[in-house]
Amino acid sequence: MMPLQFTIHRAQPVDVPQIVAVEKAAFVDPWDERTLRESLAYYPETFFVAKNNGNLAGFVAGGVEDTGEEVYGHIMNLAVAPGYRRRGVGWQLIRRLEQEYAVLGASGVQLEVRITNTGAQEFYHRLGYQEVFQIDSYYANEEDALVMMKWFRF
């Protein structure tokens, strides 16, 4: 397989139709277009896309939480288009988002993943994330979520 050439940049409203298509291909209960547009509007600095020759290879939507004592990043959504999976796109998107969180002063990053999605859990383990707790019936279909965190050490 040829090495994949792609660029990562902040998502723009014009990217949303391709983001919606990737989202629908990736999840059984995808975010709708409105939710994706709202996420981009609320967190434009932490919503990134990976493109290969103009085609959307994947995206990551992140948020920033400020508890008053601590700032941390929240990976809200990550999806890679079927033809681009297992080629480093997700890894590069997460790394770019983590860099942005570090610039914003975050002490770590949190995410939720389906308890049955062991592939995603292994992916996040390889990136340094650890399970911290479980949330019962987190998803629309009542499936539990595993909350994972990665703490930054500066």
Side-chain angles (χ1 to χ4, degrees):
M1 203 178 298
M2 291 277 297
L4 189 60
Q5 297 295 314
F6 58 91
T7 58
I8 294 178
H9 61 83
R10 285 191 175 88
Q12 302 297 319
V14 70
D15 296 320
V16 171
Q18 286 189 79
I19 291 168
V20 169
V22 170
E23 175 76 0
K24 285 181 179 173
F27 297 109
V28 293
D29 58 347
W31 286 10
D32 60 19
E33 181 174 339
R34 180 175 167 212
T35 303
L36 288 159
R37 285 191 185 279
E38 286 175 355
S39 179
L40 178 56
Y42 286 134
Y43 300 111
E45 71 282 357
T46 54
F47 197 135
F48 294 96
V49 293
K51 289 192 175 178
N52 171 251
N53 295 324
N55 296 315
L56 195 93
F59 73 91
V60 63
V64 178
E65 312 286 336
D66 187 343
T67 65
E69 295 176 14
E70 213 168 5
V71 174
Y72 64 94
H74 185 187
I75 299 171
M76 302 184 302
N77 198 335
L78 169 70
V80 176
Y84 293 97
R85 291 184 185 150
R86 299 193 178 279
R87 298 179 73 186
V89 175
W91 183 85
Q92 292 286 349
L93 283 163
I94 295 295
R95 286 289 185 238
R96 177 62 186 90
L97 183 57
E98 288 174 349
Q99 288 173 349
E100 195 65 29
Y101 286 144
V103 167
L104 294 171
S107 57
V109 185
Q110 171 188 319
L111 61 92
E112 300 81 28
V113 61
R114 288 179 181 275
I115 202 87
T116 57
N117 193 346
T118 55
Q121 292 167 34
E122 290 168 13
F123 167 77
Y124 288 117
H125 277 137
R126 287 193 303 273
L127 290 171
Y129 289 78
Q130 303 167 5
E131 297 93 350
V132 287
F133 57 90
Q134 190 171 316
I135 302 173
D136 295 337
S137 304
Y138 181 80
Y139 293 97
N141 68 351
E142 300 294 309
E143 186 173 347
D144 298 346
L146 196 57
V147 176
M148 300 180 80
M149 288 277 310
K150 178 178 184 175
W151 291 270
F152 297 142
R153 307 279 186 244
F154 298 113

